[in-house]
Amino acid sequence: MGKPTGFIDYERKENGNVPPMERICNFKEFHPKLDEKARREQAARCMNCGVPMCGSAIKLAGMVTGCPLHNFIPEWNEALFQGQFDMAAWRLLKTSSFPEFTGRVCPALCEKACNCGNPTVGEGAVTIHDNELFIIEKAFETGYMKPQIPERRSGKKIAVVGAGPSGLAVADALNRRGHSVTVYEREDKAGGLLMYGIPNMKLDKKVIDRRIELMKAEGVEFVFNADVGKDTEANQLLSDYDAVALCCGAKKARPLSAAGCENVSSGIMFAVDFLKSVTKTVIANEGSDNKALAKKLASEYGIEVAGKNVIVLGGGDTGNDCTGSVIRLGCKSVTQLEMMPCPPIERTKDNPWPQWPKILKTDYGAEESIAKFGHDPRVYKTTIKEVYQEEGKLKGIKTVQVEFRMVDGQRKLCEIEGSEKELACDLILIAAGFLGCEDYTANAFGTPLTPRNTVESVGKASPELASPNGYQTSVEKVFTAGDMHRGQSLVVWAIAEGRECARQIDEYLMGYSNM
């Protein structure tokens, strides 16, 4: 512990926030960083606990708490406090493949388990998330992040299908081990949902491009616009490579089932498709203002947002990203519908620390709606019952309040009688979660799917991530990881799964693994 009284001497201080009415004027990241002195003071707050809950992904009362990557958090906080930036980066990169991603988009499971964040302590968790981002950005700034090219190659070749966070983690780990890795990606850029699912103001796409260039320099090969299972043959990969890792995500979106949907030809789309189109527009028109971007989005993708009434169906992170995006594109109004009830303000008795706090949070999109329109966009216990159209064009919706009730011994979602309302609506963005992987790639390899529509694994258990069946499938040579394996989850879990999957592939190829 660099400073035993650090958590007493310094109050928790997070990276800043550009005011909502200022940041909605563009799609730039909006969290200005603390200076070096302030960041080192924040690192001094880490107590080097005897049991650092922050870096231990353990299961308590059915919930996993702490970092799935098992990061050496006290170690790199100590190095950061001492100003030993290279040492901090070295310890961070031992367990974390892409801190520049998780340092921006991770909800910081580590901080929720931090002993300083224990309500009985009351000092506030260490700013682990922001410290991590400072360390990795400092490493890039100083030139510490140089290509690490393996001295020897094993002669083994691996194909990774999907360049999302899990696929990139598999590729990065196996390449560093000395295997030859080729990543096949159906999009024109790497990153998966990091690139085309998370908007630019949360994760600048140049950050992803920087990492991909580094991986290329280290020997990882990328093949873009290659849709395995459609225009790229699965059998050819099985023939050409010693192992294949399926890391295609879980992008099969849950559809809208409201009455009248079948008659609407425009105005209803999945959030992932909307966010992808917005990001492509932002990348292709760098330097353009929001009005110009809205016009380009309308002309090139047929998505009209400016001056429109937008309904976002879904109250999670994706829904929040849609809310922030449509505000920047000049919507007339935005309403975010959530079927679940509003979470409590404080922890309930059955949700104790260090479990993830199931409490109400107001994320950036809601903050921006409050600032621009004067009210919270979120409406709880409500869904779309019916949509109205005119000549195939969306014109409005009927909403209804819902609640869960026990019916014939089963918990069912029921409508609340007399709660219907009609709302003007020009665009519905469906952010209601996912139903597992798009199964055509799995089918091409002949890998069975689970009832949750994820790829079934039957290999050696991975106790580190509580994965009883590991990552190997029933098909020879084929492994799986990330959302395609565990279902829709967090970026940090995808990276953790990718690293574990890489270790099992290495053991499969070499008969042992020192990873």
Side-chain angles (χ1 to χ4, degrees), residues 466-485:
S467 180
N469 297 320
Y471 303 93
Q472 188 170 4
T473 72
S474 57
V475 178
E476 183 67 21
K477 294 187 180 183
V478 181
F479 294 74
T480 185
D483 288 2
M484 195 174 194
H485 175 237

Side-chain angles (χ1 to χ4, degrees), residues 15-75:
N15 284 338
N17 262 326
V18 174
M21 291 304 293
E22 181 180 340
R23 70 191 190 223
I24 63 174
C25 295
N26 55 62
F27 278 82
K28 296 178 181 178
E29 290 186 3
F30 55 85
H31 296 295
K33 312 298 187 292
L34 298 184
D35 61 29
E36 183 178 308
K37 178 177 179 295
R39 180 53 56 209
R40 289 174 64 181
E41 288 175 351
Q42 290 303 301
R45 298 186 68 248
C46 184
M47 299 189 298
N48 192 19
C49 307
V51 181
M53 305 288 286
C54 57
S56 304
I58 58 175
K59 205 165 189 177
L60 294 173
M63 292 182 65
V64 175
T65 185
C67 179
L69 290 168
H70 304 288
N71 282 331
F72 304 139
I73 294 167
E75 294 187 25

Side-chain angles (χ1 to χ4, degrees), residues 371-443:
K372 184 171 177 64
F373 299 117
H375 62 86
D376 196 316
R378 296 169 292 184
V379 180
Y380 294 95
K381 298 176 65 174
T382 302
T383 191
I384 299 173
K385 182 175 183 177
E386 187 176 354
V387 300
Y388 305 121
Q389 54 84 30
E390 186 176 299
E391 296 182 354
K393 194 169 184 178
L394 181 67
K395 287 298 180 183
I397 64 170
K398 179 188 289 185
T399 67
V400 64
Q401 291 184 338
V402 293
E403 63 183 3
F404 285 97
R405 301 173 187 160
M406 294 301 296
V407 179
D408 297 330
Q410 294 185 330
R411 188 169 179 261
K412 293 185 178 180
L413 188 66
C414 302
E415 295 183 4
I416 297 177
E417 189 175 348
S419 64
E420 291 91 349
K421 288 184 180 179
E422 293 189 358
L423 298 175
C425 178
D426 305 295
L427 176 63
I428 297 174
L429 301 177
I430 307 170
F434 297 87
L435 299 174
C437 67
E438 296 170 285
D439 53 13
Y440 67 90
T441 303
N443 293 340

Side-chain angles (χ1 to χ4, degrees), residues 160-377:
V160 177
V161 184
S166 62
L168 292 178
V170 171
D172 179 66
L174 289 175
N175 179 69
R176 289 174 185 272
R177 178 72 167 95
H179 303 309
S180 298
V181 184
T182 302
V183 181
Y184 291 83
E185 169 57 48
R186 69 180 179 182
E187 300 291 352
D188 59 344
K189 284 180 172 286
L193 289 181
L194 290 169
M195 176 61 71
Y196 288 133
I198 296 174
N200 203 72
M201 55 273 194
K202 281 178 69 173
L203 176 58
D204 192 312
K205 305 314 166 189
K206 292 177 183 177
V207 174
I208 303 173
D209 292 338
R210 178 181 64 183
R211 174 60 72 164
I212 299 306
E213 290 307 309
L214 181 62
M215 292 179 67
K216 287 179 179 179
E218 293 176 333
V220 179
E221 296 183 4
F222 289 86
V223 181
F224 296 114
N225 301 304
D227 199 350
V228 177
K230 289 186 177 178
D231 55 34
T232 301
E233 290 292 332
N235 287 338
Q236 191 64 51
L237 297 188
L238 289 171
S239 173
D240 292 347
Y241 293 91
D242 299 295
V244 177
L246 302 182
C247 306
C248 305
K251 292 180 65 177
K252 187 175 183 179
R254 180 178 283 106
L256 176 64
S257 58
C261 285
E262 64 280 1
N263 300 319
V264 178
S265 57
S266 67
I268 301 176
M269 65 185 307
F270 290 117
V272 288
D273 298 329
F274 169 75
L275 292 171
K276 175 182 174 181
S277 299
V278 171
T279 296
K280 281 181 171 286
T281 302
V282 171
I283 292 173
N285 300 276
E286 185 177 2
S288 299
D289 62 23
N290 286 354
K291 286 186 178 180
L293 291 173
K295 289 180 180 179
K296 283 285 187 179
L297 186 68
S299 62
E300 296 184 13
Y301 295 96
I303 305 171
E304 296 185 10
V305 178
K308 303 299 182 181
N309 298 297
V310 181
I311 300 292
V312 179
L313 183 62
D317 288 339
T318 303
N320 176 71
D321 290 338
C322 288
T323 296
S325 296
V326 297
I327 289 174
R328 283 164 174 76
L329 293 167
C331 67
K332 180 180 180 181
S333 70
V334 58
T335 302
Q336 197 171 343
L337 304 181
E338 167 62 78
M339 288 195 301
M340 302 302 292
C342 180
I345 301 296
E346 297 180 347
R347 288 180 182 269
T348 56
K349 290 183 178 180
D350 61 351
N351 179 216
W353 177 90
Q355 289 182 355
W356 174 264
K358 293 186 273 188
I359 58 176
L360 179 67
K361 69 171 184 175
T362 302
D363 214 330
Y364 76 96
E367 287 178 349
E368 292 161 0
S369 179
I370 293 168
K372 184 171 177 64
F373 299 117
H375 62 86
D376 196 316

